[in-house]
Amino acid sequence: MKNRTWLQPFTLALFLLPHALQAQPTCQPPTPVLRENIFTEEQEMFLGEAIAEHIQRSFSIVQNDELTSDLRRLGERISKHLPPHKLRFQFFLIESSDANAFVLPGGRIYVTRKLIAFVQSEDELAGVLAHEMGHMIARQGASDMTRLWREVLKITQVTDRQDIFTKYNQLVDNAARNPKAFAKLDSHEDKDQIVADQIGLYAMAGAGFDPQAFSRFFDRLAETKGKTGGFFSDLFGVTNPNAKRLREMIRAQGALPESCIEARSKTSNDDFKKWQQAVIAYNGGGKKEALRGVLSKTVLEPALRGDVTHLRFSPDGKYVIAQDDSGINVLTREPFKTLFRIAAPEATNAQFTPDSQQIVFYNSDLRVETWNLAEQKMKEVHELFIRNQCVQSQLSPDGKILACLDGEMTLNLYEVATGTAFFQKKNFYRPDSLDIFVRVLNGILNSDDSGDFELDWINMNFSPDSRYFAAGKRSLNFSMIGVVTDESALAFDLQSKAPVPLKGLIKKLIAGNFAFLAPDKVIGSNPGEPKKSGIVSFPSGEVIEQFEVFPGKIAAPAKGNYLLVRPFAKHAVGVMDLQKKMAIKGNKTAAFDMYDQVFVAERLNGEIGLYGSEKNDLLAVVQLPRNELGRLRATAISPDFKWLAVSERTRGAVWDLSKGERTVYIRGFRGAHLDNSVVFADFPKFEQENRMIGVIDAATRNGRSGGEITEDRARQYGPYLLMTKPSKKDGGYAENVIIEAQNISDLKTLWSKEFSKEAPRIWLDPNADSFITSWAVSTKAAQAELKNDPALKQKLGNKKEQEGDYFLQVFDARTGTMRGKLLIETGKGSFRVSNVFAAQDYVIVSDTENRVQVYSLSSGERKGQVFGGRAAASAKTNLLCVENERGQLTLYDLATLQQRDQFNFANPVVLTKFSADGQKLFVLTA
C-alpha cells in the first residue's frame, strides 16, 4: 500500500494554535473534538495489531527490557497528564536508518534507536512521545481508517478481532482501486497535527518537561537553523513550510499558562544520558529464544568460514584486520594469531587509527564505532542522522570525520561526535547519461551478487594522518558543440577547517582517479593524458614523477613503495611496483594488503596467510574464529534431516547432523540437492574448470563430475536443473522460449515446454515439487490460454477490472504434468506476487505487502492470508509455517489459518523445511 497515512510520523506535527492554548486555565490538555470513528478503544487495539503484523517484518524490535523499560517509564509519566482514555500504551524501540517515531491505532508507539541518539535531552524525547500520544488521544488513526474503509470497502461497522484483521486485509487488497480516498487524508493532515501538538505540549509540560524542548528538537531535525520567516516572506509565499511550523510552535509555547511552566521538574539529565548511551551502544543482542518440542539442536562444527572481504595491516605493522560479512577479526602479526573479534554485520571496511591504537568503522545506518586494541572493547559509538541519505561515504582514519555525498549530489563533511556538518559543496557532481548507463550495466552484470566491486560516484579520500580530505570527479557532458570534459576537484584542511587551493596536475589527478601514498603525497591517473599521470606532492601539487598508472580503483598498501589496483587483468587485485613501474603480483580475491616485503591474503580453505612477497613463501597461517552465516548462495537438507549442505560465495560444506560434524569442505556452489548423503551441487566456472554439476558422497568423501552445464540460463532447484533457451536460433528470451527440466542426478530431460508468446515468470519449489508459470492476464500468452478455458474466461470476465491480475499455471515439477490453473486478483496492482508454490490443492502465494496468501487450486478461491514471509507448508499435516517477524516463526492450520504454535529464535532464520510426513520442522539459523 503506497499511502500509509495512518502511520503518523512526529515530523509532520508542526502547527500550534495560540488562541486555543490561551483558553486553557490550567495545565490540562485540551479535549479534542473527535471525527467519525467506527472503532471502540478495544477495536482500535485490534486494528493496531493488524497494522503491526503488516509492517513489523520490515524492521527489528529491540528485545531488551532494560532499554525499553526507561522508554516505558517516560511514556507512563506523560500519560498521567493526558485527557481520560482507555487506551493501553505500548512502547517499542526499533532498528531503523531514520530518526523517527510513529504511532499505530490502539496505543502502539515505535521509536527508532536513531531518534534516541539524535535527541539532546530527556525533555526532547518527552516532546516526541507526548506528540505521538496526542495523535492517539484524538483517535486520528482510527478515524482515518474509518474513512478509508467506508470509501474503499463500503464498510461502516466492525465486530471482533478476526473481523478487523479480515477487513484490514481487504483494504490492502484494494488500495490501488481508490487512490483518491488515501489522498483525501492529506486535506485534514495539518489540523490533525495541530491537535496532536496541543495535547502533546500540555502533557509534556504538565509532566514537568521543558515545553521549549520540542521546538529545539524540530529545528535541528528539519535543519531550519532557527529561521521562522516573516511578514514579507509569507506575503510572497516564499517562507519555507518548516520555518512556518517552527514559528507557530514557538508562539504556542509562549502562550502556555503559568501553571504549566511552574510545573517543570528540576531533575538531572545524567541518568537519561547514561540510558541514551546504552541505547546507542546496543548491538542487536539479547533476543529471547522461546522454543517448544525441540527434538534436536546441533551447532555446525566446524563452522562455515565466511568470505574475507577486507585485510589491512596497522600503520605500525603489529596488527592485521581480517573482516567478513558479519564481523571484524583483529590479529597480531607476531605471533600471527587472533586477538579478538568484533561483531559488525555489513560494516564498511574497518581502519586502524593513525597511531595504531584503535580500530574505527561504520555501517550503512551510519553507526560509527571506535574500538581500543589494548582493552579489546568499544571506546566510543555514535549514531549519525543525515536527512538526505548518503549515496557514497567515507570515514576518516581517526574516526572523527565522515564524508558524505548525499542524494542531491551535495558533498558534506560531518563531525562524528556531534553529527553536525561543517562543510558543504552543493551540486558537487552531476551524473551524465554515460555514467548512469554504466551503473545500470554494472548492476545487470552483477545481479547474482558475484561482483566484488561497486562503482563510486566520485573519487574521495582522507590522508592517512586524517589531516586532509580530497574529492574529485571527471565526467563527459554531451552538448551541441560536442563532448565537453567537466572536472571537479577540491581539498580541505580538517585541522584549520579551510579549503585548500588546487591547480595544475594535482587537480586533474584528483578529478581522475587518486590515492594518498603518504600524508604529503598523492598518486593518480590523468584520464585525458594517461602518460602524464604519476605522483605529486600534496597539497602543493609539485610533480615528483610522471608515468602511466594502471587503470582500476587504486589504493596504497599499509606500507611500501607499491600500489594496489582493483581489479587488475584477470585478478581481483594487482600489485604495481612503483619503482619498477610494473605489475609484480596478482590475487584472486580483493582482500589483500602489503607491509614492506610481507603481504597478507586469504587462502582457499579460509585460513589467513602471511607471506613473503619476493618468493611468495608462506610465513604463518591463522584459522579465524567462528562467524555467523553470511549471504548464502545455496542450502539443502536431506529428507531424513541427517545431512545439511550450505554454501556462501567462495566456500561450501556438508555436515553430518547426527554427529554434529563437518564431513566435506569444498569451494562454493550455486545450488544443491541431497539424496541421503550424496550431494549434487552446481559449481560455477573456476580457473580451468567449466561450470558443472559436482557429485559428492559426504559419508565416504568421494566425488566426481556429474556433467557440464553449457546453457547460460540454467539454474538448479534442488533435484532439478531448469533451463530456459530460445526456441529459434539467435532468438531472445522475451518470447519464443523453451523451458526444460533435467534430473540433477544424470542430467536427463524430464520434460520440456515451449512458450511461443511472452516468456512466463517461473517459480520452482523442490520441496513441494511444484513448477509454476505466471503472466499478467493482459498479455497475449495469458489471453490465449484463457481462451481455451471457458470457466476461467468467465471468471475473468466477471471482474470489474483486470489490471495487475495474474494468470498462473501449476505443474508437477517431476513430470511436467499440469495440475491446474489459477487467477490471482490484485485490486489493480494493490500488491504483487513475490513467490509461489503449490502443496497438493493448496497454492501458497507470498506478496509484496508482507503477506502469505493461501488459495485452493481446484476451486480457485482464496482461503485466507496471514502476515509474514518465508513460507513453508506440509499438505500431509495441513500446516503452514510463516516468518512473521525476524526470528519468529508461526505455525498455522492450512485449512483455517488458525494459529497452532509459535517459535522465537535468538538469531535470524535462514532456512525452514517440513519433513516428508509433515511431523517435523527443520530450522537453520545464522
Side-chain angles (χ1 to χ4, degrees):
M1 202 156 42
K2 296 180 180 178
N3 297 299
R4 291 179 179 153
T5 50
W6 31 261
L7 293 181
Q8 300 284 356
F10 71 85
T11 51
L12 300 179
L14 307 163
F15 291 99
L16 300 163
L17 294 179
H19 66 273
L21 298 178
Q22 290 171 346
Q24 299 296 319
T26 62
C27 194
Q28 291 294 321
T31 301
V33 177
L34 302 180
R35 301 197 308 269
E36 179 187 3
N37 185 359
I38 64 174
F39 300 91
T40 66
E41 287 170 312
E42 182 184 31
Q43 289 170 337
E44 279 189 45
M45 294 180 187
F46 297 150
L47 176 62
E49 290 175 14
I51 299 172
E53 288 193 19
H54 186 186
I55 66 174
Q56 277 182 188
R57 195 166 178 263
S58 61
F59 51 77
S60 295
I61 294 178
V62 174
Q63 297 180 6
N64 186 302
D65 290 339
E66 292 185 10
L67 297 182
T68 55
S69 62
D70 277 30
L71 187 67
R72 192 182 310 118
R73 173 191 55 79
L74 187 60
E76 290 172 351
R77 177 177 163 184
I78 297 168
S79 69
K80 296 176 182 178
H81 299 271
L82 294 169
H85 62 86
K86 296 180 181 179
L87 297 171
R88 182 170 62 89
F89 293 112
Q90 299 178 72
F91 300 90
F92 301 90
L93 272 177
I94 63 173
E95 298 282 2
S96 172
S97 60
D98 195 12
N100 199 5
F102 59 89
V103 59
L104 300 185
R108 292 170 176 259
I109 295 178
Y110 295 82
V111 183
T112 67
R113 283 199 317 108
K114 186 77 71 175
L115 183 136
I116 301 296
F118 186 81
V119 299
Q120 293 184 348
S121 67
E122 188 176 43
D123 297 83
E124 290 188 354
L125 180 57
V128 173
L129 295 181
H131 166 76
E132 300 302 337
M133 290 175 165
H135 281 301
M136 288 192 292
I137 293 299
R139 316 283 290 281
Q140 292 167 356
S143 177
D144 287 342
M145 276 297 169
T146 296
R147 174 183 288 192
L148 288 175
W149 289 20
R150 183 185 68 242
E151 296 188 12
V152 177
L153 304 176
K154 312 304 179 186
I155 290 172
T156 57
Q157 63 180 3
V158 295
T159 56
D160 58 10
R161 185 180 187 275
Q162 182 61 46
D163 180 55
I164 290 171
F165 268 69
T166 299
K167 288 172 178 173
Y168 178 76
N169 271 288
Q170 291 175 9
L171 182 68
V172 175
D173 288 337
N174 292 276
R177 281 193 168 122
N178 193 350
K180 292 182 179 179
F182 291 87
K184 286 181 182 179
L185 299 180
D186 295 337
S187 63
H188 60 74
E189 183 176 287
D190 289 346
K191 295 180 181 179
D192 283 356
Q193 304 304 331
I194 292 170
V195 172
D197 269 339
Q198 290 175 349
I199 298 171
L201 182 65
Y202 272 86
M204 70 174 294
F209 295 103
D210 181 4
Q212 297 181 2
F214 191 53
S215 61
R216 292 197 300 266
F217 161 82
F218 174 74
D219 185 28
R220 294 198 323 279
L221 186 73
E223 298 178 355
T224 47
K225 300 179 180 179
K227 297 178 180 179
T228 58
F231 173 78
F232 287 107
S233 61
D234 286 355
L235 179 65
F236 290 100
V238 296
T239 305
N240 183 288
N242 287 340
K244 287 184 179 180
R245 295 167 176 175
L246 179 62
R247 179 175 65 206
E248 296 302 322
M249 294 170 75
I250 293 172
R251 285 179 180 175
Q253 292 160 9
L256 275 172
E258 287 296 324
S259 58
C260 290
I261 307 299
E262 293 173 355
R264 185 180 177 189
S265 174
K266 301 295 183 181
T267 57
S268 170
N269 206 36
D270 292 343
D271 289 342
F272 172 77
K273 289 294 184 183
K274 184 178 179 180
W275 171 76
Q276 181 186 42
Q277 192 59 35
V279 172
I280 295 172
Y282 177 76
N283 62 2
K287 291 185 178 180
K288 295 180 179 179
E289 189 168 78
L291 306 175
R292 288 189 300 277
V294 178
L295 297 177
S296 66
K297 187 174 182 178
T298 306
V299 177
L300 303 185
E301 292 289 0
L304 181 61
R305 177 69 252 159
D307 301 322
V308 173
T309 58
H310 175 58
L311 289 165
R312 188 67 173 175
F313 285 101
S314 60
D316 62 6
K318 294 181 179 180
Y319 302 96
V320 174
I321 284 172
Q323 186 170 350
D324 55 48
D325 284 342
S326 63
I328 300 162
N329 301 285
V330 183
L331 317 176
T332 56
R333 181 175 163 186
E334 293 181 0
F336 194 46
K337 66 177 185 178
T338 301
L339 187 61
F340 65 100
R341 178 176 171 83
I342 304 170
E346 304 297 335
T348 57
N349 289 346
Q351 305 177 80
F352 289 101
T353 53
D355 60 6
S356 300
Q357 300 301 305
Q358 299 175 111
I359 287 176
V360 296
F361 60 91
Y362 70 108
N363 62 18
S364 59
D365 288 339
L366 303 185
R367 174 189 173 92
V368 183
E369 296 187 26
T370 302
W371 284 69
N372 184 278
L373 291 176
E375 298 177 1
Q376 299 183 24
K377 66 179 183 180
M378 186 166 60
K379 179 183 177 182
E380 291 183 34
V381 57
H382 300 280
E383 289 267 2
L384 276 72
F385 171 65
I386 297 176
R387 177 173 293 278
N388 292 322
Q389 294 185 350
C390 304
V391 297
Q392 184 181 336
S393 57
Q394 191 172 120
L395 186 66
S396 63
D398 61 6
K400 296 180 179 180
I401 306 296
L402 182 81
C404 165
L405 181 71
D406 66 28
E408 296 179 352
M409 293 296 153
T410 296
L411 184 59
N412 307 268
L413 293 176
Y414 289 89
E415 289 183 345
V416 170
T418 64
T420 57
F422 61 88
F423 172 78
Q424 287 186 325
K425 179 68 173 178
K426 293 186 177 181
N427 299 322
F428 180 69
Y429 171 65
R430 287 294 178 188
D432 52 55
S433 55
L434 179 61
D435 194 357
I436 295 174
F437 171 77
V438 170
R439 290 176 188 283
V440 172
L441 182 62
N442 182 71
I444 295 174
L445 295 176
N446 292 325
S447 60
D448 64 347
D449 199 27
S450 62
D452 286 316
F453 308 101
E454 295 183 2
L455 296 178
D456 291 333
W457 289 98
I458 64 174
N459 313 308
M460 64 164 71
N461 284 296
F462 288 91
S463 62
D465 61 352
S466 296
R467 168 72 185 274
Y468 295 105
F469 170 77
K473 185 64 181 180
R474 181 180 189 270
S475 61
L476 300 177
N477 295 320
F478 299 89
S479 66
M480 296 288 291
I481 60 174
V483 181
V484 180
T485 301
D486 180 20
E487 293 179 340
S488 300
L490 63 81
F492 202 83
D493 188 322
L494 300 174
Q495 288 186 4
S496 63
K497 297 289 194 299
V500 175
L502 298 173
K503 59 182 180 180
L505 180 60
I506 190 171
K507 183 176 181 179
K508 292 182 178 294
L509 297 185
I510 291 175
N513 183 18
F514 80 102
F516 279 94
L517 289 177
D520 60 349
K521 193 183 299 184
V522 162
I523 185 171
S525 59
N526 183 352
E529 298 178 89
K531 293 184 178 180
K532 292 186 178 181
S533 304
I535 303 173
V536 297
S537 62
F538 186 88
S540 67
E542 180 182 349
V543 177
I544 299 175
E545 191 175 6
Q546 284 191 305
F547 55 90
E548 189 168 355
V549 176
F550 294 149
K553 188 173 182 178
I554 60 177
K559 187 180 180 183
N561 196 25
Y562 305 103
L563 185 68
L564 306 181
V565 184
R566 297 180 175 91
F568 178 75
K570 296 182 179 180
H571 301 285
V573 60
V575 180
M576 180 180 183
D577 187 314
L578 294 179
Q579 182 176 355
K580 298 178 181 179
K581 308 297 185 297
M582 61 180 291
I584 61 170
K585 198 176 301 296
N587 197 60
K588 294 191 177 298
T589 60
F592 180 93
D593 196 22
M594 297 190 69
Y595 196 91
D596 286 337
Q597 301 302 312
V598 176
F599 70 88
V600 61
E602 183 183 18
R603 294 160 59 83
L604 288 177
N605 62 4
E607 295 176 337
I608 303 300
L610 202 62
Y611 298 83
S613 61
E614 290 189 2
K615 299 180 180 180
N616 287 344
D617 50 321
L618 182 63
L619 305 177
V621 296
V622 63
Q623 181 67 52
L624 296 177
R626 164 182 292 276
N627 63 286
E628 288 191 354
L629 290 174
R631 287 169 285 186
L632 299 185
R633 268 55 174 194
T635 58
I637 180 73
S638 63
D640 60 3
F641 290 173
K642 180 181 178 181
W643 300 92
L644 173 68
V646 173
S647 177
E648 292 195 356
R649 184 169 63 87
T650 303
R651 285 175 289 277
V654 183
W655 288 267
D656 182 344
L657 298 182
S658 65
K659 299 178 181 178
E661 64 180 30
R662 189 178 71 195
T663 61
V664 175
Y665 194 34
I666 47 181
R667 69 181 178 92
F669 43 88
R670 297 296 179 269
H673 168 63
L674 272 162
D675 184 0
N676 294 321
S677 64
V678 180
V679 59
F680 299 85
D682 176 6
F683 289 93
K685 179 179 174 61
F686 178 72
E687 296 183 345
Q688 303 304 315
E689 292 184 355
N690 291 326
R691 183 184 177 189
M692 68 172 183
I693 295 297
V695 184
I696 303 168
D697 190 323
T700 63
R701 304 185 186 186
N702 294 322
R704 61 179 175 84
S705 172
E708 290 189 0
I709 301 176
T710 57
E711 289 290 341
D712 292 336
R713 298 287 183 98
R715 180 179 174 185
Q716 181 182 2
Y717 296 85
Y720 308 103
L721 183 67
L722 202 66
M723 293 182 292
T724 303
K725 47 191 176 183
S727 58
K728 298 180 181 179
K729 186 178 179 180
D730 299 326
Y733 293 93
E735 59 183 8
N736 293 319
V737 300
I738 295 174
I739 298 178
E740 180 180 301
Q742 295 181 351
N743 190 333
I744 203 70
S745 62
D746 54 17
L747 298 187
K748 291 183 178 179
T749 299
L750 297 172
W751 50 264
S752 178
K753 297 185 181 298
E754 184 173 358
F755 299 91
S756 60
K757 295 181 173 59
E758 296 96 338
R761 187 179 180 186
I762 59 176
W763 290 277
L764 195 155
D765 188 287
N767 298 322
D769 287 317
S770 69
F771 170 67
I772 297 177
T773 59
S774 168
W775 295 269
V777 296
S778 59
T779 60
K780 294 179 180 179
Q783 291 295 321
E785 292 291 339
L786 289 166
K787 183 178 181 181
N788 298 322
D789 192 318
L792 278 181
K793 184 178 180 181
Q794 181 179 359
K795 186 175 181 180
L796 183 66
N798 293 334
K799 295 179 181 293
K800 295 180 179 179
E801 83 286 311
Q802 302 173 12
E803 182 182 347
D805 291 353
Y806 292 85
F807 169 65
L808 273 60
Q809 292 180 325
V810 180
F811 301 88
D812 187 310
R814 293 165 295 187
T815 64
T817 304
M818 183 177 292
R819 292 167 50 190
K821 302 175 183 179
L822 186 69
L823 287 173
I824 295 181
E825 190 174 5
T826 68
K828 296 186 71 174
S830 297
F831 63 87
R832 298 187 305 278
V833 173
S834 56
N835 188 54
V836 191
F837 67 93
Q840 292 186 11
D841 188 54
Y842 297 107
V843 178
I844 291 90
V845 177
S846 297
D847 68 23
T848 52
E849 287 297 326
N850 184 36
R851 297 184 305 172
V852 176
Q853 305 187 41
V854 179
Y855 291 81
S856 168
L857 183 59
S858 57
S859 69
E861 299 303 317
R862 186 170 67 178
K863 312 290 288 185
Q865 64 279 309
V866 295
F867 289 111
R870 198 190 297 278
S874 171
K876 290 281 184 69
T877 51
N878 271 351
L879 287 176
L880 172 68
C881 179
V882 172
E883 185 182 42
N884 307 105
E885 301 174 18
R886 295 177 188 176
Q888 181 186 87
L889 298 180
T890 302
L891 287 182
Y892 298 93
D893 186 295
L894 255 177
T896 65
L897 292 183
Q898 295 297 308
Q899 182 174 322
R900 296 273 293 272
D901 212 336
Q902 192 170 83
F903 310 105
N904 289 287
F905 297 86
N907 294 293
V909 173
V910 176
L911 171 68
T912 57
K913 181 181 179 180
F914 282 99
S915 59
D917 61 4
Q919 298 294 331
K920 300 175 184 177
L921 179 69
F922 175 85
V923 180
L924 174 65
T925 72

